[in-house]
Amino acid sequence: MKSTFFSEEFVKNLINSTENKTLDFKLKVTSTSKIARSLAAMANSEGGILIIGINDQKKVIGIDLNEERFMIDQANEKYCTPKVSISMHDFQWKDEESKKTNAEKWILLVEVKKSEGPTIYCEDKSGIKRKYVRVEDQNRLVS
């Protein structure tokens, strides 16, 4: 399902931006515990958008939407307390390569809402709940 919330122009502008406190790019979700830290850090800061399906050179590679949605949901369910308020938006990317090959490329935009209530804690692998915030383009542990 193509999102009508984010326009093509808006998404292109995001991709042309640099990562910062409210914007983070991921090629794919490889670890639910790591992406949970990103969700919690953004929620504990100003909120923001994670874009999944983009490499470090800002080239849209595309993803399996179902797999990435599952990983995001699992991260939020398993590691975040309380759960982060997120909304996920599928976006079909059309570039010269996909037009030539007639292949569909999808990216996932995860909108992370700023937590207005309690601090969001993220459980680490040893079971300890930790607080993370965004500082520039990094997730930082608050001690």
Side-chain angles (χ1 to χ4, degrees):
M1 171 174 85
K2 185 174 180 180
S3 171
T4 54
F5 181 79
F6 292 114
S7 71
E8 185 174 343
E9 181 180 345
F10 179 77
V11 173
K12 283 182 179 179
N13 285 338
L14 282 177
I15 292 171
N16 287 326
S17 300
T18 56
E19 288 183 313
N20 57 52
K21 189 174 190 175
T22 61
L23 181 63
D24 198 4
F25 301 123
K26 302 287 182 203
L27 180 59
K28 63 185 279 183
V29 178
T30 56
S31 164
T32 52
S33 61
K34 285 182 183 176
I35 203 69
R37 287 194 296 262
S38 294
L39 296 173
M42 279 188 168
N44 288 330
S45 300
E46 296 174 21
I49 297 175
L50 293 169
I51 303 179
I52 304 169
I54 298 176
N55 69 14
D56 289 338
Q57 292 74 40
K58 294 190 182 183
K59 178 174 170 41
V60 173
I61 303 301
I63 54 163
D64 176 333
L65 287 170
N66 291 332
E67 176 66 20
E68 300 305 315
R69 283 176 164 274
F70 175 79
M71 295 289 279
I72 294 289
D73 283 336
Q74 286 294 109
N76 200 12
E77 285 296 316
K78 186 173 181 182
Y79 295 104
C80 297
T81 306
K83 304 300 172 243
V84 176
S85 177
I86 60 172
S87 55
M88 293 188 258
H89 308 275
D90 307 342
F91 192 87
Q92 186 174 10
W93 183 259
K94 294 182 180 164
D95 56 15
E96 291 304 315
E97 181 184 324
S98 61
K99 287 176 187 171
K100 285 180 189 172
T101 61
N102 221 17
E104 288 187 351
K105 281 187 187 178
W106 290 90
I107 57 177
L108 182 64
L109 291 94
V110 182
E111 185 179 11
V112 179
K113 308 241 182 342
K114 178 182 181 351
S115 176
E116 299 296 337
T119 297
I120 309 285
Y121 290 94
C122 189
E123 193 172 304
D124 67 15
K125 294 197 188 254
S126 62
I128 299 170
K129 293 183 180 183
R130 302 190 181 274
K131 178 182 177 182
Y132 291 87
V133 295
R134 284 289 279 184
V135 177
E136 297 175 4
D137 63 347
Q138 302 287 314
N139 300 324
R140 298 275 172 87
L141 177 63
V142 177
S143 48

